[in-house]
Amino acid sequence: MEKQAVTIYTVAREARVSMATVSRVVNGNPNVKPATRQKVLDVIKRLNYRPNAVARGLASKRTTTVGVVIPNITNPYFAELALGIDDIASMYKYNIILANSDYDNDKILKVVRNLLAKQVDGIIFMGYDISADLQAEFKSANTPVVVAGSVVDDKGLATVRIDYQKAAKEATLKLLEHNNGNVALVTSSLGYAINQARLAGYKEALSEKGIQYSSDLVIETDGSYKQIYERAKEIAQNGVKAAYVTNDHLAVGLLNGLGDNEIKVPEAFEIISSNDTTYTRLCRPTLSSITQPLYDIGAVSMRLLTKLMEDNDDEKNDVILDHGFEARQSTRK
């Protein structure tokens, strides 16, 4: 015999109350007498009733679900952001659908369309690029979107981040203290808005010190550990004495490439990285880095999204949190 599903009607009948009363108990509404609340809770426990989130969403025209687009689920930078997002989502009783995009524009578009088809109430986007097709998708969907931990070309999207331009300037100035102009910027694609912001900060630092900018000192890579590792010896042989690196796995690749070619860090070459993830502390020598409040960026992104989902148009759409600097073994005192 097929087991009958336990519904809100079943609970109401067993507890001898209305379905509206059961709904109020399930949703934590205080306008229920304590004795009645306990009676309903006892029935819910006895019947092992689980509220149907889909049905509740249909009734309220909301799904209480948020889509989170993450470019690489194994990257500790995005993992830390996701932790902050998840904690605040749980606090506000939102469920999360986590979707991995692999930095691929076609996959990103497919992932976002799938999330919108599931009628998510909002989307938190993590990544470095928003294509014209994706911008159009966001605009036509009329679903709130917050970009966490990055800068994107679409000025209409809310963002939570640090000031990447200012951070890059500060890091470059620190490296220029010992390295009289031979400071490189090592970056993944300059097509990303976040790296354009860092390039602007790098140029500002050079200008402030009266040093002429040279495009030869901007070392653009495909973002892979392998490529920067293989280029490390060549970079040092070209006279570069220090580098500000736009992400931690690139910084570790550069560090290991230098070390394996007997180029000592920091005596012969200084490195400052950008994200202060666990990578910076697990390598030897440890990496000096710009610090970001990654958990807080994720948490604030989710809180901002809840406000946008409540149609609070007074919210500031570009939230900039404070960054810092952690000196470790890859820079000289």
Side-chain angles (χ1 to χ4, degrees), residues 20-46:
T21 298
V22 177
S23 179
R24 281 194 286 270
V25 171
V26 167
N27 290 302
N29 190 313
N31 297 323
V32 180
K33 292 178 181 178
T36 304
R37 179 185 303 281
Q38 191 56 53
K39 181 168 64 172
V40 172
L41 290 172
D42 289 344
V43 172
I44 286 173
K45 184 177 181 181
R46 176 165 57 83

Side-chain angles (χ1 to χ4, degrees), residues 167-238:
K169 177 183 177 181
E170 291 172 5
T172 305
L173 286 172
K174 287 181 186 298
L175 292 171
L176 286 169
E177 290 174 7
H178 300 133
N179 299 287
N180 193 28
N182 295 314
V183 175
L185 173 68
V186 175
T187 178
S188 56
S189 173
L190 285 170
Y192 297 148
I194 188 172
N195 288 335
Q196 282 297 316
R198 286 167 169 152
L199 176 61
Y202 171 77
K203 288 180 176 180
E204 274 186 27
L206 295 176
S207 177
E208 189 171 299
K209 290 294 185 179
I211 298 168
Q212 186 173 354
Y213 166 74
S214 170
S215 60
D216 291 341
L217 289 173
V218 177
I219 300 163
E220 186 177 9
T221 73
D222 62 4
S224 71
Y225 172 96
K226 181 175 184 288
Q227 188 177 90
I228 193 61
Y229 175 86
E230 291 173 347
R231 293 181 64 182
K233 182 179 179 181
E234 168 206 338
I235 290 167
Q237 286 178 338
N238 286 341

Side-chain angles (χ1 to χ4, degrees), residues 68-69 71 75 77-82 85 103 124-129 146-152 158-164 192-195 198 246-247 274-275 292-302 304 317-321:
V68 177
V69 180
N75 187 320
Y77 178 81
F78 297 112
E80 188 73 14
L81 290 173
I85 292 166
Y103 298 100
I124 294 181
F125 181 86
M126 290 185 270
Y128 301 138
D129 196 18
V146 174
V147 177
S150 191
V151 178
V152 293
T159 64
V160 181
R161 58 188 180 88
I162 65 165
D163 187 332
Y164 299 106
Y192 297 148
I194 188 172
N195 288 335
R198 286 167 169 152
T246 61
N247 67 57
S274 295
N275 298 335
Q292 299 190 47
L294 296 179
Y295 178 91
D296 292 349
I297 290 172
V300 172
S301 297
M302 185 62 215
L304 176 58
N317 273 6
D318 195 17
V319 180
I320 297 178
L321 302 184

